[in-house]
Amino acid sequence: MSTTTSTAPPTTPAPNSALNASRTLATAARVLRQLRHDPRSIAMMILIPCVMLFLLRYVFDGSPRTFDSIGASLLGIFPLITMFLVTSIATLRERTSGTLERLLAMPLGKGDLIAGYALAFGTLAIIQSALATGLALWFLDLDVIGSPWLLLLVALLDALLGTALGLFVSAFAASEFQAVQFMPAVIFPQLLLCGLFTPRDNMHPALEAISDVLPMSYAVDGMKEVLHHTDMTAAFVRDALIVAGCALLVLGLGAATLRRRTA
Protein backbone atom coordinates (compact mmCIF):
# COMPACT_ATOMS: atom_id res chain seq x y z
CA MET A 1 0.00 0.00 0.00
CA SER A 2 1.47 3.26 -1.06
CA THR A 3 0.55 6.71 -0.01
CA THR A 4 1.03 9.82 -2.03
CA THR A 5 1.62 13.20 -0.62
CA SER A 6 0.90 16.36 -2.48
CA THR A 7 2.92 19.44 -1.95
CA ALA A 8 1.42 22.83 -2.55
CA PRO A 9 3.31 25.01 -5.00
CA PRO A 10 5.36 27.72 -3.38
CA THR A 11 3.60 31.01 -3.20
CA THR A 12 5.05 34.46 -3.35
CA PRO A 13 4.51 36.22 -0.05
CA ALA A 14 1.99 38.97 -0.28
CA PRO A 15 3.44 42.40 0.20
CA ASN A 16 2.71 44.05 3.48
CA SER A 17 0.25 46.87 3.06
CA ALA A 18 1.77 48.85 5.92
CA LEU A 19 4.66 51.17 5.26
CA ASN A 20 8.02 49.69 6.18
CA ALA A 21 10.89 52.08 6.84
CA SER A 22 13.66 49.76 5.64
CA ARG A 23 11.87 48.97 2.36
CA THR A 24 11.07 52.63 1.78
CA LEU A 25 14.67 53.70 2.40
CA ALA A 26 15.99 50.91 0.16
CA THR A 27 13.69 52.07 -2.64
CA ALA A 28 14.76 55.69 -2.20
CA ALA A 29 18.45 54.69 -2.25
CA ARG A 30 17.96 52.71 -5.46
CA VAL A 31 16.21 55.63 -7.19
CA LEU A 32 18.98 58.03 -6.13
CA ARG A 33 21.64 55.64 -7.44
CA GLN A 34 19.87 55.52 -10.79
CA LEU A 35 19.47 59.29 -10.93
CA ARG A 36 23.18 59.67 -10.25
CA HIS A 37 23.79 58.15 -13.68
CA ASP A 38 21.33 60.56 -15.33
CA PRO A 39 22.99 63.98 -15.07
CA ARG A 40 20.52 65.59 -17.46
CA SER A 41 17.59 64.85 -15.14
CA ILE A 42 19.54 66.09 -12.13
CA ALA A 43 20.46 69.29 -13.98
CA MET A 44 16.84 69.81 -15.01
CA MET A 45 15.54 69.37 -11.47
CA ILE A 46 18.14 71.48 -9.71
CA LEU A 47 19.24 74.14 -12.20
CA ILE A 48 16.25 74.98 -14.40
CA PRO A 49 14.25 76.80 -11.66
CA CYS A 50 17.37 78.88 -10.93
CA VAL A 51 17.86 79.68 -14.61
CA MET A 52 14.21 80.67 -15.00
CA LEU A 53 14.37 82.98 -11.98
CA PHE A 54 17.58 84.52 -13.31
CA LEU A 55 15.96 85.21 -16.68
CA LEU A 56 12.82 86.58 -15.03
CA ARG A 57 14.87 88.99 -12.94
CA TYR A 58 16.46 90.59 -16.00
CA VAL A 59 13.30 90.49 -18.07
CA PHE A 60 12.02 92.99 -15.48
CA ASP A 61 15.38 94.71 -15.08
CA GLY A 62 13.79 98.13 -15.57
CA SER A 63 10.95 97.34 -13.15
CA PRO A 64 12.33 95.60 -10.04
CA ARG A 65 9.03 96.01 -8.20
CA THR A 66 7.36 93.77 -10.78
CA PHE A 67 9.96 91.10 -10.12
CA ASP A 68 9.34 91.45 -6.38
CA SER A 69 5.58 91.06 -6.84
CA ILE A 70 5.67 87.90 -8.96
CA GLY A 71 9.13 86.49 -8.22
CA ALA A 72 8.10 84.99 -4.89
CA SER A 73 5.12 83.23 -6.44
CA LEU A 74 7.18 81.86 -9.32
CA LEU A 75 9.78 80.69 -6.82
CA GLY A 76 7.18 78.10 -5.81
CA ILE A 77 5.67 77.47 -9.25
CA PHE A 78 8.92 76.73 -11.11
CA PRO A 79 9.97 73.86 -8.78
CA LEU A 80 6.45 72.41 -8.90
CA ILE A 81 6.46 72.29 -12.70
CA THR A 82 9.99 70.91 -12.92
CA MET A 83 9.43 68.15 -10.37
CA PHE A 84 6.13 67.22 -12.05
CA LEU A 85 7.81 66.72 -15.41
CA VAL A 86 10.89 64.84 -14.21
CA THR A 87 9.04 62.63 -11.74
CA SER A 88 6.30 61.60 -14.16
CA ILE A 89 8.78 60.72 -16.91
CA ALA A 90 11.25 58.94 -14.61
CA THR A 91 8.51 56.84 -12.99
CA LEU A 92 7.01 55.93 -16.35
CA ARG A 93 10.45 54.88 -17.59
CA GLU A 94 10.68 52.50 -14.62
CA ARG A 95 7.35 50.96 -15.58
CA THR A 96 8.04 50.57 -19.28
CA SER A 97 11.47 49.06 -18.62
CA GLY A 98 9.91 46.37 -16.40
CA THR A 99 11.55 47.57 -13.19
CA LEU A 100 8.23 48.09 -11.42
CA GLU A 101 7.10 44.63 -12.53
CA ARG A 102 10.11 43.04 -10.85
CA LEU A 103 9.85 45.17 -7.72
CA LEU A 104 6.15 44.52 -7.17
CA ALA A 105 6.76 40.77 -7.56
CA MET A 106 8.80 41.02 -4.35
CA PRO A 107 7.40 41.55 -0.84
CA LEU A 108 7.27 45.28 -1.48
CA GLY A 109 4.07 47.18 -0.89
CA LYS A 110 2.84 49.87 -3.26
CA GLY A 111 2.96 52.33 -0.38
CA ASP A 112 6.65 51.51 0.21
CA LEU A 113 7.37 52.03 -3.46
CA ILE A 114 5.58 55.36 -3.75
CA ALA A 115 7.04 56.58 -0.44
CA GLY A 116 10.53 55.59 -1.59
CA TYR A 117 10.14 57.49 -4.84
CA ALA A 118 8.74 60.49 -3.00
CA LEU A 119 11.65 60.41 -0.53
CA ALA A 120 14.25 60.22 -3.30
CA PHE A 121 12.76 63.00 -5.39
CA GLY A 122 11.97 64.95 -2.23
CA THR A 123 15.68 64.93 -1.35
CA LEU A 124 16.44 66.54 -4.69
CA ALA A 125 13.52 68.94 -4.14
CA ILE A 126 15.18 70.17 -0.93
CA ILE A 127 18.39 70.93 -2.81
CA GLN A 128 16.45 72.54 -5.65
CA SER A 129 14.35 74.74 -3.36
CA ALA A 130 17.34 75.82 -1.27
CA LEU A 131 19.34 76.84 -4.35
CA ALA A 132 16.42 78.70 -5.96
CA THR A 133 15.52 80.51 -2.73
CA GLY A 134 19.13 81.48 -2.04
CA LEU A 135 19.56 82.74 -5.61
CA ALA A 136 16.38 84.80 -5.49
CA LEU A 137 17.08 86.40 -2.12
CA TRP A 138 20.83 86.97 -2.07
CA PHE A 139 21.82 87.30 -5.72
CA LEU A 140 18.70 88.56 -7.50
CA ASP A 141 17.65 90.87 -4.62
CA LEU A 142 14.11 89.59 -4.28
CA ASP A 143 12.59 91.87 -1.66
CA VAL A 144 10.42 89.99 0.84
CA ILE A 145 9.26 91.19 4.24
CA GLY A 146 8.87 87.78 5.84
CA SER A 147 11.38 85.15 6.87
CA PRO A 148 13.46 83.49 4.13
CA TRP A 149 12.88 80.18 5.93
CA LEU A 150 9.14 80.48 5.35
CA LEU A 151 9.81 81.21 1.70
CA LEU A 152 11.98 78.09 1.53
CA LEU A 153 9.28 76.04 3.27
CA VAL A 154 6.62 76.94 0.71
CA ALA A 155 9.04 76.36 -2.19
CA LEU A 156 9.83 72.92 -0.77
CA LEU A 157 6.15 72.04 -0.28
CA ASP A 158 5.45 73.12 -3.86
CA ALA A 159 8.28 70.92 -5.16
CA LEU A 160 6.94 67.97 -3.15
CA LEU A 161 3.47 68.62 -4.54
CA GLY A 162 4.92 68.53 -8.05
CA THR A 163 6.60 65.22 -7.19
CA ALA A 164 3.33 63.77 -5.93
CA LEU A 165 1.41 64.92 -9.01
CA GLY A 166 4.09 63.47 -11.27
CA LEU A 167 3.95 60.10 -9.53
CA PHE A 168 0.16 60.09 -9.79
CA VAL A 169 -0.22 60.95 -13.48
CA SER A 170 2.51 58.51 -14.52
CA ALA A 171 0.05 55.69 -13.80
CA PHE A 172 -2.18 56.90 -16.66
CA ALA A 173 0.47 57.47 -19.32
CA ALA A 174 1.59 54.80 -21.78
CA SER A 175 4.66 56.68 -23.05
CA GLU A 176 6.92 59.55 -22.09
CA PHE A 177 5.18 61.69 -24.71
CA GLN A 178 1.83 61.05 -23.02
CA ALA A 179 3.36 61.93 -19.65
CA VAL A 180 4.38 65.32 -21.04
CA GLN A 181 0.88 65.76 -22.48
CA PHE A 182 -0.56 65.65 -18.97
CA MET A 183 1.13 68.96 -18.22
CA PRO A 184 -1.42 71.09 -20.12
CA ALA A 185 -4.22 69.20 -18.37
CA VAL A 186 -2.82 69.25 -14.83
CA ILE A 187 -0.48 72.23 -14.57
CA PHE A 188 -1.63 74.91 -17.03
CA PRO A 189 -5.18 75.37 -15.62
CA GLN A 190 -3.70 75.78 -12.14
CA LEU A 191 -1.16 78.26 -13.50
CA LEU A 192 -3.90 80.40 -15.04
CA LEU A 193 -6.23 80.25 -12.03
CA CYS A 194 -3.76 80.45 -9.11
CA GLY A 195 -3.88 84.25 -8.82
CA LEU A 196 -0.50 84.90 -10.41
CA PHE A 197 -1.86 87.03 -13.27
CA THR A 198 -4.84 88.58 -11.51
CA PRO A 199 -6.34 88.33 -8.02
CA ARG A 200 -8.61 85.32 -7.77
CA ASP A 201 -11.50 87.39 -6.41
CA ASN A 202 -11.47 89.37 -9.68
CA MET A 203 -12.16 86.26 -11.76
CA HIS A 204 -15.53 85.02 -12.94
CA PRO A 205 -17.28 83.39 -9.93
CA ALA A 206 -17.18 79.96 -11.58
CA LEU A 207 -13.42 80.22 -12.16
CA GLU A 208 -12.88 81.55 -8.66
CA ALA A 209 -14.72 78.53 -7.25
CA ILE A 210 -12.50 76.19 -9.30
CA SER A 211 -9.37 78.01 -8.15
CA ASP A 212 -10.43 77.48 -4.54
CA VAL A 213 -9.91 73.71 -4.90
CA LEU A 214 -6.61 73.84 -6.80
CA PRO A 215 -3.47 73.40 -4.65
CA MET A 216 -1.34 75.83 -6.66
CA SER A 217 -3.68 78.64 -5.58
CA TYR A 218 -2.67 78.09 -1.96
CA ALA A 219 1.01 77.79 -2.91
CA VAL A 220 0.83 81.27 -4.46
CA ASP A 221 -1.19 82.61 -1.53
CA GLY A 222 1.42 81.27 0.90
CA MET A 223 4.22 82.99 -1.00
CA LYS A 224 2.28 86.26 -0.97
CA GLU A 225 1.85 86.01 2.80
CA VAL A 226 5.64 85.81 3.21
CA LEU A 227 6.05 88.67 0.74
CA HIS A 228 3.83 91.07 2.69
CA HIS A 229 3.99 90.01 6.38
CA THR A 230 6.93 89.96 8.75
CA ASP A 231 5.55 87.16 10.95
CA MET A 232 3.92 83.82 10.26
CA THR A 233 0.21 84.46 9.81
CA ALA A 234 -2.75 82.15 10.27
CA ALA A 235 -3.40 82.39 6.54
CA PHE A 236 0.16 81.20 5.84
CA VAL A 237 -0.27 78.20 8.14
CA ARG A 238 -3.55 77.35 6.41
CA ASP A 239 -2.01 77.63 2.95
CA ALA A 240 1.03 75.52 3.88
CA LEU A 241 -1.13 72.82 5.47
CA ILE A 242 -3.39 72.67 2.41
CA VAL A 243 -0.43 72.28 0.04
CA ALA A 244 1.12 69.60 2.27
CA GLY A 245 -2.23 67.83 2.65
CA CYS A 246 -2.78 67.83 -1.11
CA ALA A 247 0.68 66.33 -1.63
CA LEU A 248 -0.07 63.52 0.85
CA LEU A 249 -3.49 62.91 -0.69
CA VAL A 250 -2.06 62.67 -4.20
CA LEU A 251 0.68 60.31 -2.99
CA GLY A 252 -2.02 58.07 -1.52
CA LEU A 253 -3.91 58.13 -4.80
CA GLY A 254 -0.66 57.33 -6.59
CA ALA A 255 -0.16 54.24 -4.45
CA ALA A 256 -3.76 53.14 -5.07
CA THR A 257 -3.51 53.52 -8.85
CA LEU A 258 0.01 52.10 -9.24
CA ARG A 259 0.15 49.41 -11.90
CA ARG A 260 2.87 46.89 -12.60
CA ARG A 261 3.30 47.64 -16.27
CA THR A 262 1.95 49.93 -18.90
CA ALA A 263 -0.54 48.33 -21.27
Side-chain angles (χ1 to χ4, degrees), residues 3 12 20 29 47 57 100 118 127 160 165 193 195 198 212 215 236-237 259:
T3 58
T12 302
N20 180 279
L47 297 180
R57 167 64 181 84
L100 286 180
I127 300 173
L160 293 176
L165 289 171
L193 299 178
T198 186
D212 288 340
F236 173 86
V237 174
R259 296 176 295 164

mmCIF file of all heavy atoms in Angstrom, residues 3 12 20 29 47 57 100 118 127 160 165 193 195 198 212 215 236-237 259:
data_model
loop_
_atom_site.group_PDB
_atom_site.id
_atom_site.type_symbol
_atom_site.label_atom_id
_atom_site.label_comp_id
_atom_site.label_asym_id
_atom_site.label_seq_id
_atom_site.Cartn_x
_atom_site.Cartn_y
_atom_site.Cartn_z
ATOM 1 N N THR A 3 1.249 5.440 -0.267
ATOM 2 C CA THR A 3 0.554 6.712 -0.011
ATOM 3 C C THR A 3 1.242 7.806 -0.802
ATOM 4 O O THR A 3 2.464 7.794 -1.007
ATOM 5 C CB THR A 3 0.593 7.078 1.485
ATOM 6 O OG1 THR A 3 1.955 7.160 1.895
ATOM 7 C CG2 THR A 3 -0.125 6.023 2.304
ATOM 8 N N THR A 12 4.322 33.226 -3.634
ATOM 9 C CA THR A 12 5.053 34.461 -3.353
ATOM 10 C C THR A 12 4.385 35.187 -2.212
ATOM 11 O O THR A 12 3.175 35.413 -2.238
ATOM 12 C CB THR A 12 5.059 35.362 -4.606
ATOM 13 O OG1 THR A 12 5.642 34.636 -5.681
ATOM 14 C CG2 THR A 12 5.847 36.629 -4.341
ATOM 15 N N ASN A 20 6.873 50.247 5.482
ATOM 16 C CA ASN A 20 8.023 49.691 6.176
ATOM 17 C C ASN A 20 9.206 50.604 5.919
ATOM 18 O O ASN A 20 9.555 50.871 4.768
ATOM 19 C CB ASN A 20 8.307 48.269 5.682
ATOM 20 C CG ASN A 20 9.492 47.645 6.383
ATOM 21 O OD1 ASN A 20 10.637 47.903 6.026
ATOM 22 N ND2 ASN A 20 9.219 46.807 7.368
ATOM 23 N N ALA A 29 17.024 54.794 -1.928
ATOM 24 C CA ALA A 29 18.448 54.694 -2.252
ATOM 25 C C ALA A 29 18.653 54.186 -3.677
ATOM 26 O O ALA A 29 19.535 54.663 -4.405
ATOM 27 C CB ALA A 29 19.148 53.770 -1.250
ATOM 28 N N LEU A 47 18.770 72.896 -11.614
ATOM 29 C CA LEU A 47 19.243 74.145 -12.196
ATOM 30 C C LEU A 47 18.174 74.936 -12.939
ATOM 31 O O LEU A 47 18.232 76.171 -12.961
ATOM 32 C CB LEU A 47 20.412 73.863 -13.146
ATOM 33 C CG LEU A 47 21.661 73.258 -12.504
ATOM 34 C CD1 LEU A 47 22.730 73.040 -13.546
ATOM 35 C CD2 LEU A 47 22.173 74.137 -11.372
ATOM 36 N N ARG A 57 14.362 87.781 -13.596
ATOM 37 C CA ARG A 57 14.871 88.993 -12.936
ATOM 38 C C ARG A 57 15.303 90.041 -13.964
ATOM 39 O O ARG A 57 15.022 91.244 -13.816
ATOM 40 C CB ARG A 57 16.055 88.615 -12.031
ATOM 41 C CG ARG A 57 16.885 89.800 -11.532
ATOM 42 C CD ARG A 57 16.041 90.714 -10.642
ATOM 43 N NE ARG A 57 16.816 91.843 -10.176
ATOM 44 C CZ ARG A 57 17.016 92.967 -10.873
ATOM 45 N NH1 ARG A 57 16.475 93.101 -12.079
ATOM 46 N NH2 ARG A 57 17.721 93.953 -10.366
ATOM 47 N N LEU A 100 9.334 48.163 -12.370
ATOM 48 C CA LEU A 100 8.227 48.088 -11.416
ATOM 49 C C LEU A 100 7.645 46.680 -11.360
ATOM 50 O O LEU A 100 7.236 46.199 -10.301
ATOM 51 C CB LEU A 100 7.139 49.092 -11.785
ATOM 52 C CG LEU A 100 7.438 50.565 -11.509
ATOM 53 C CD1 LEU A 100 6.267 51.426 -11.916
ATOM 54 C CD2 LEU A 100 7.774 50.781 -10.052
ATOM 55 N N ALA A 118 8.966 59.149 -3.514
ATOM 56 C CA ALA A 118 8.741 60.495 -2.995
ATOM 57 C C ALA A 118 9.920 60.961 -2.145
ATOM 58 O O ALA A 118 10.319 62.130 -2.201
ATOM 59 C CB ALA A 118 7.455 60.523 -2.170
ATOM 60 N N ILE A 127 17.235 70.263 -2.224
ATOM 61 C CA ILE A 127 18.392 70.935 -2.814
ATOM 62 C C ILE A 127 17.931 71.992 -3.810
ATOM 63 O O ILE A 127 18.421 73.132 -3.827
ATOM 64 C CB ILE A 127 19.304 69.910 -3.495
ATOM 65 C CG1 ILE A 127 19.797 68.874 -2.478
ATOM 66 C CG2 ILE A 127 20.487 70.596 -4.166
ATOM 67 C CD1 ILE A 127 20.567 67.726 -3.098
ATOM 68 N N LEU A 160 7.468 69.285 -3.548
ATOM 69 C CA LEU A 160 6.943 67.974 -3.146
ATOM 70 C C LEU A 160 5.568 67.718 -3.760
ATOM 71 O O LEU A 160 5.250 66.586 -4.129
ATOM 72 C CB LEU A 160 6.876 67.891 -1.620
ATOM 73 C CG LEU A 160 8.221 67.897 -0.890
ATOM 74 C CD1 LEU A 160 8.010 67.911 0.616
ATOM 75 C CD2 LEU A 160 9.057 66.683 -1.290
ATOM 76 N N LEU A 165 2.235 64.881 -7.794
ATOM 77 C CA LEU A 165 1.412 64.920 -9.011
ATOM 78 C C LEU A 165 2.066 64.126 -10.136
ATOM 79 O O LEU A 165 1.390 63.434 -10.904
ATOM 80 C CB LEU A 165 1.192 66.367 -9.439
ATOM 81 C CG LEU A 165 0.263 67.212 -8.560
ATOM 82 C CD1 LEU A 165 0.313 68.678 -8.976
ATOM 83 C CD2 LEU A 165 -1.164 66.695 -8.629
ATOM 84 N N LEU A 193 -5.213 79.938 -13.038
ATOM 85 C CA LEU A 193 -6.229 80.251 -12.028
ATOM 86 C C LEU A 193 -5.662 80.462 -10.627
ATOM 87 O O LEU A 193 -6.431 80.688 -9.689
ATOM 88 C CB LEU A 193 -7.268 79.118 -11.970
ATOM 89 C CG LEU A 193 -8.046 78.845 -13.258
ATOM 90 C CD1 LEU A 193 -8.992 77.660 -13.066
ATOM 91 C CD2 LEU A 193 -8.825 80.073 -13.693
ATOM 92 N N GLY A 195 -3.975 82.880 -9.320
ATOM 93 C CA GLY A 195 -3.879 84.247 -8.825
ATOM 94 C C GLY A 195 -2.578 84.927 -9.172
ATOM 95 O O GLY A 195 -2.318 86.036 -8.685
ATOM 96 N N THR A 198 -3.831 87.666 -12.029
ATOM 97 C CA THR A 198 -4.844 88.584 -11.515
ATOM 98 C C THR A 198 -5.376 88.008 -10.209
ATOM 99 O O THR A 198 -5.380 86.779 -10.025
ATOM 100 C CB THR A 198 -5.997 88.757 -12.531
ATOM 101 O OG1 THR A 198 -6.905 89.762 -12.063
ATOM 102 C CG2 THR A 198 -6.750 87.467 -12.735
ATOM 103 N N ASP A 212 -10.423 77.743 -5.979
ATOM 104 C CA ASP A 212 -10.432 77.479 -4.540
ATOM 105 C C ASP A 212 -10.108 76.032 -4.197
ATOM 106 O O ASP A 212 -9.786 75.731 -3.038
ATOM 107 C CB ASP A 212 -11.797 77.841 -3.940
ATOM 108 C CG ASP A 212 -12.017 79.346 -3.871
ATOM 109 O OD1 ASP A 212 -11.015 80.091 -3.928
ATOM 110 O OD2 ASP A 212 -13.181 79.784 -3.783
ATOM 111 N N PRO A 215 -4.544 73.195 -5.646
ATOM 112 C CA PRO A 215 -3.471 73.404 -4.654
ATOM 113 C C PRO A 215 -2.505 74.518 -5.011
ATOM 114 O O PRO A 215 -1.964 75.174 -4.116
ATOM 115 C CB PRO A 215 -2.756 72.040 -4.613
ATOM 116 C CG PRO A 215 -3.139 71.347 -5.875
ATOM 117 C CD PRO A 215 -4.512 71.829 -6.205
ATOM 118 N N PHE A 236 -1.005 81.952 6.339
ATOM 119 C CA PHE A 236 0.158 81.204 5.840
ATOM 120 C C PHE A 236 0.113 79.756 6.320
ATOM 121 O O PHE A 236 0.367 78.832 5.539
ATOM 122 C CB PHE A 236 1.451 81.875 6.313
ATOM 123 C CG PHE A 236 2.683 81.067 5.984
ATOM 124 C CD1 PHE A 236 3.293 81.194 4.746
ATOM 125 C CD2 PHE A 236 3.212 80.174 6.901
ATOM 126 C CE1 PHE A 236 4.417 80.442 4.432
ATOM 127 C CE2 PHE A 236 4.336 79.421 6.593
ATOM 128 C CZ PHE A 236 4.937 79.560 5.347
ATOM 129 N N VAL A 237 -0.189 79.569 7.591
ATOM 130 C CA VAL A 237 -0.265 78.203 8.135
ATOM 131 C C VAL A 237 -1.332 77.403 7.400
ATOM 132 O O VAL A 237 -1.121 76.245 7.029
ATOM 133 C CB VAL A 237 -0.549 78.250 9.650
ATOM 134 C CG1 VAL A 237 -0.771 76.840 10.193
ATOM 135 C CG2 VAL A 237 0.601 78.921 10.392
ATOM 136 N N ARG A 259 0.264 50.658 -11.149
ATOM 137 C CA ARG A 259 0.151 49.411 -11.904
ATOM 138 C C ARG A 259 1.534 48.842 -12.165
ATOM 139 O O ARG A 259 2.518 49.565 -12.222
ATOM 140 C CB ARG A 259 -0.555 49.648 -13.255
ATOM 141 C CG ARG A 259 -1.989 50.107 -13.117
ATOM 142 C CD ARG A 259 -2.550 50.398 -14.491
ATOM 143 N NE ARG A 259 -1.846 51.531 -15.115
ATOM 144 C CZ ARG A 259 -1.906 51.809 -16.395
ATOM 145 N NH1 ARG A 259 -2.592 51.023 -17.220
ATOM 146 N NH2 ARG A 259 -1.252 52.847 -16.893
#
